[in-house]
């Protein structure tokens, strides 16, 4: 038995089991109503990522509405399924860790939970990351973070108060001193 | 402007009503120029455009929208991607209406080729990237010197005055560099380089003797001109410019043509074929299908300009079969549809620069930076792995939230703070490489499949050769090296496998040449075999050079119009 075969032999069984599990989970369409019924939950998750500080937060910007719309209409099925399942997983993890509902957790507890999730779901090394994404879709936490950021930064409140935005600049100043507490331009 | 096609039966008076001095097919960049030149020279000119009308300013309904005004915030839907797998790679919610629906306008890819296009008045003059560069004798002589394909029948001196002419009219911002391979033009002041771009320019000057970094030469007005502009630095050009500050047919050439009183523009009018009279040995008109009613009409003129764009023009020629031309109009050479080229892109590198943390910019530049070709310019720059060369386009900016979120760990106030502050400076560089003319890269008409209007669906067959593959490696390497020498870190050298066509510089399908046996057009863009038909869109290109090509189409169009009108006056056509 050469080395390559040995490896296949070892992972053979578990490999087959995971494969059929993934086949089931990836092709099955999760119930989209779960997104609407979790709207308040998604709003709190978004607020945990981008909270209100001296500037508006994700909830002020109603990030959850566009996040749900993107999940329904702009997201491939695998990624969306991962997201819906991620919501449930997060809920049960929360119960297990803090013995209470996410909605009743403190901001610190919520952050701790999401940070933990982010570590676990980190994509593998870049090359595997790409393959992983193609076959399995994007994982829950990267999607949540990406969509929350985009939802906030393209919203009226996010763009004009969280960031800096000018619809018609009218002039170009190519290289100027950075103002104190200058926000990043919302659009390039 | 008539909105839909008038249908008139062809009795005696109608023949007269349907008869013009000139017909121009297509209203994009080159058709707009043909319309302006012919109308200004006093010819009653009919422009036939297959798409709907787009009225300048009035129909730019997304131009003033903020990101949050779009239902999907400029993100394409899954439906967009399924219905428009090709065009959705180029559009977003802000300019989607300027691209065709792939489902409605299918073509067959024998191997992957992205045919990115828009069917409406103005064509791709609304969505183009506005980069404008002159070709030089390095380009015009290359085929002859290397024994590739056929020789260009023109040289730089033939086209130079016409580059002057169109540049003065279009308004192109740029900086003179005195390079033989990229001749200077008639420029408005350049769009200034930002801090990192200026630093990078200085570094390249210090580290290399064979190349320069220059502000890209773009058809954006840095100063007001003829009642247009100036640019407001919004960088939303592909939605149409309410300030008329970049060049489009809709905002510039078509209004100029209309002012003369000589223009008739009919939209929703597909030119199906050119009608040839074998007794007269001339084309006498075109057969047109109304896109909505599917009614057919014929229009007649003394001269015909084909400006439907490279692939569409070749398909019109191939579809115009007659006893005299069983292989398609003016196609005894068998070259029509062949020698399809596109620039190849998306090999390059990006890197981060630590420094200039206290610097920023105001306003969004619609331009970029350009590094003119520096390979195979002379004996010192001769390469052993490939012939010809590439130009580099790039951009420098401070990273913002759309890059930063993926690189920033954690959640909460500190995450928010990091992604809403200007990030580190980044420079991105990518090559636009010359593709050689290969006879086998071609479009043909499918013998069976038909579109909604009963016209043959076209097939595209395209593959890059070894020269292009070797050049890609060099692009990646040279971009990386320039960034390294300039002290950039986190350098990511890339070579994305993009389908050909993605540069949207398709050309070559009815090439110019000296010999009617091996080419379709002569040195005046006139068909060798049908002297009153002129083709001045990208299909005329004998080689692709590395430069964005539309400026050359404009100059060749203006030049051919003068030649055609002179010929008409002398009774030669
Ligand atoms: C995103 C993007 C960026 C680009 N950037 C640049 C750049 O920076 N620099 C550059 O030089 N070029 C650029 N280009 C390419 C440039 O747009 C084209 O080279 C140019 O528009 C070609 O001009 P044309 O007149 O040949 O065709 P088009 O502008 O495409 O116009 C052709 C017209 O003909 C019409 N038509 C087609 N078939 C028929 C028919 N059978 N009957 C009647 N009408 C017909 C079409 O509807 C269309 O309106 C870019 C293109 C895109 C999409
Ligand atoms: S950036 Fe300038 S040219 Fe482009 S749309 Fe805005 S104002 Fe017009």
């Amino acid at each position: 038995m050469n080395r390559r075969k040995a490896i296949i032999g070892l992972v053979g069984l578990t490999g087959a089991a995971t494969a059929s599990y993934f086949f089931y989970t990836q092709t099955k369409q999760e119930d989209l109503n779960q997104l609407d019924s979790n709207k308040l939950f998604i709003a709190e998750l978004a607020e945990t990522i981008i909270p209100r500080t001296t500037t508006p937060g994700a909830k002020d910007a109603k990030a959850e509405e566009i996040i749900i719309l993107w999940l329904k209409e702009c997201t491939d099925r695998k990624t969306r399924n991962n997201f819906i399942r991620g919501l449930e997983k997060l809920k049960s993890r929360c119960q297990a860790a803090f013995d209470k509902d996410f909605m009743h957790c403190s901001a610190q507890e919520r952050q701790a939970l999401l940070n933990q999730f982010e570590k676990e779901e980190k994509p593998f090394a870049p090359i595997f990351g790409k393959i992983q994404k193609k076959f399995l879709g994007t994982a829950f936490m990267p999607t949540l973070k990406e969509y929350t950021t985009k939802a906030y930064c393209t919203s009226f409140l996010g763009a004009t108060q969280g960031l800096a935005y000018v619809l018609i600049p009218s002039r170009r100043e190519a290289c100027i001193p950075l103002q104190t507490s200058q926000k990043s331009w919302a659009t390039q | 402007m008539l909105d839909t096609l008038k249908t008139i039966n062809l009795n005696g008076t109608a023949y007269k009503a349907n008869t013009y001095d000139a017909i121009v097919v297509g209203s994009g960049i080159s058709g707009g120029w043909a319309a302006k030149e012919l109308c200004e020279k006093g010819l009653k000119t009919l422009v036939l455009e297959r798409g709907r009308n787009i009225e300048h300013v009035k129909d730019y309904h997304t131009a003033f929208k903020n990101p949050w005004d779009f239902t999907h915030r400029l993100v394409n839907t899954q439906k967009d991607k399924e219905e428009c797998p090709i065009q959705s790679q180029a559009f977003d919610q802000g300019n989607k209406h300027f691209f065709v629906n792939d489902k409605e306008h299918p073509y067959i890819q024998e191997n992957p080729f992205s045919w990115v296009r828009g069917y409406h008045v103005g064509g791709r003059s609304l969505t183009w990237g506005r980069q404008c560069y002159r070709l030089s004798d390095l380009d015009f002589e290359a085929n002859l010197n290397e024994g590739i394909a056929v020789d260009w029948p023109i040289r730089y001196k033939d086209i130079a005055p016409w580059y002057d002419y169109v540049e003065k009219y279009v308004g192109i911002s740029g900086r003179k560099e005195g390079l033989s391979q990229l001749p200077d033009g008639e420029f408005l002041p350049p769009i200034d380089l930002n801090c990192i771009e200026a630093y990078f320019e200085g570094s390249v000057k210090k580290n290399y003797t064979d190349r320069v970094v220059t502000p890209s030469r773009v058809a954006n007005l840095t100063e007001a001109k003829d009642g247009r502009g100036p640019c407001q630095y919004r960088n939303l050009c592909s939605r149409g410019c309410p300030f008329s500050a970049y060049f489009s047919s809709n905002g510039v050439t078509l209004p100029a043509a209309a002012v003369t009183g000589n223009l008739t523009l009919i939209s929703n009018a597909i030119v199906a074929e050119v009608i040839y009279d074998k007794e007269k040995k001339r084309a006498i008109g075109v057969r047109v299908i109304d896109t909505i009613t599917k009614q057919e009409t014929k229009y007649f003129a003394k001269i015909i300009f084909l400006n439907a764009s490279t692939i569409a023009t070749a398909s019109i020629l191939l579809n115009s079969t007659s006893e005299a031309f069983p292989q398609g109009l003016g196609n005894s050479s068998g070259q029509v549809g062949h020698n399809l080229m596109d620039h190849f892109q998306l090999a390059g590198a990006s890197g981060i620069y630590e420094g200039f943390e206290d610097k920023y910019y105001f306003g969004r530049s619609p331009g970029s930076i350009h590094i003119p070709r520096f390979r195979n310019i002379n004996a010192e720059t001769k390469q052993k792995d490939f012939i010809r060369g590439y130009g580099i386009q790039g951009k420098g900016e401070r990273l913002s939230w759309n890059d930063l979120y993926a690189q920033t760990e954690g959640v909460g106030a500190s995450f928010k703070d990091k992604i809403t502050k200007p990030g580190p400076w980044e420079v991105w560089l990518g090559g636009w490489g010359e593709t050689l003319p290969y006879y086998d890269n071609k479009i043909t008409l499918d013998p069976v499949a038909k579109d909604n209007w009963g016209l043959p669906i076209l097939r595209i067959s395209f593959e890059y050769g070894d020269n292009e593959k070797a050049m890609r490696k060099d692009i990646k390497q040279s971009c990386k090296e320039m960034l390294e020498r300039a002290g950039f870190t986190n350098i990511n050298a890339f070579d994305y496998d993009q389908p050909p066509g993605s540069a949207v510089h398709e050309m070559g399908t009815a090439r110019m040449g000296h010999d009617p046996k091996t080419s379709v057009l002569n040195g005046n863009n006139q068909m060798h075999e049908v002297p009153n038909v002129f083709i001045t869109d990208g299909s005329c290109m004998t080689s692709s050079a590395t430069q964005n090509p539309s400026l050359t189409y404009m100059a060749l169009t203006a030049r051919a119009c003068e030649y055609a009108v002179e010929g008409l006056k002398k009774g030669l056509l």
Side-chain angles (χ1 to χ4, degrees), chain B residues 160-174:
Chain B
W162 295 99
Y163 277 135
D164 290 348
Y165 176 74
V166 296
E167 282 170 348
K168 274 188 208 149
Y169 190 75
V170 166
I172 293 168
S173 63

Side-chain angles (χ1 to χ4, degrees), chain B residues 25-31 48-51 90 99 116-125 127-132 269-272 307-310 312 316 503-505 537-538 548-551 553:
Chain B
V25 179
S27 62
I29 291 186
S30 64
L48 294 165
E49 165 54 55
R50 74 171 293 162
F99 292 83
V116 179
R117 67 216 137 115
Y119 290 163
H120 48 256
V121 168
R124 290 175 293 185
S125 76
T127 51
W128 71 313
R130 308 162 309 284
Q131 305 264 339
C132 289
I270 306 176
V271 171
N307 296 94
S309 84
T310 301
I316 294 172
V504 207
H505 294 164
D537 60 23
N548 307 55
S550 306
L551 180 73
Y553 308 165

Side-chain angles (χ1 to χ4, degrees), chain B residues 220-292:
Chain B
N220 291 78
L221 301 179
T222 46
E223 287 173 351
K225 179 178 162 46
D226 310 330
R228 302 197 282 122
C231 177
Q232 303 293 306
Y233 299 102
R234 306 157 358 106
N235 196 23
L236 295 176
C237 305
S238 64
R239 300 178 185 179
C241 183
F243 307 93
S244 310
Y246 75 85
F247 176 85
S248 67
S249 300
N250 313 57
V252 189
T253 43
L254 292 176
V259 171
T260 64
N262 290 326
L263 173 72
T264 305
L265 188 148
I266 303 182
S267 45
N268 295 323
I270 306 176
V271 171
E273 66 172 313
V274 177
I275 308 162
Y276 183 74
D277 183 326
K278 78 173 196 295
E279 309 303 321
K280 291 186 182 146
K281 293 199 162 62
R282 295 287 183 274
I284 53 166
V286 293
R287 178 168 67 88
V288 166
I289 303 171
D290 183 311
T291 53
I292 296 161

Side-chain angles (χ1 to χ4, degrees), chain A residues 102 129 137 141 145 155 158 177:
Chain A
F102 186 84
M141 200 49 203
K145 232 171 144 178
S155 70

Side-chain angles (χ1 to χ4, degrees), chain A residues 47-94:
Chain A
E47 183 71 13
T48 308
I49 294 172
I50 302 186
R52 182 194 288 174
T53 50
T54 51
T55 58
K59 243 165 63 178
D60 297 316
K62 296 199 171 58
E64 66 280 7
E65 289 181 2
I66 186 75
I67 293 175
I68 291 173
L69 185 69
W70 281 335
L71 284 162
K72 284 183 179 169
E73 297 183 12
C74 306
T75 309
D76 66 272
R77 181 187 291 192
K78 292 172 188 172
T79 299
R80 182 169 59 219
N81 285 351
N82 290 343
F83 191 92
I84 293 172
R85 259 175 255 124
L87 291 174
E88 295 313 313
K89 193 169 149 200
L90 195 70
K91 281 182 194 163
S92 51
R93 271 291 193 80
C94 187

Side-chain angles (χ1 to χ4, degrees), chain B residues 488-510:
Chain B
F488 283 73
T489 57
N490 287 331
I491 294 171
N492 170 32
F494 52 80
D495 182 353
Y496 298 117
D497 190 15
Q498 253 202 338
S502 304
V504 207
H505 294 164
E506 66 303 336
M507 48 187 139
T509 50

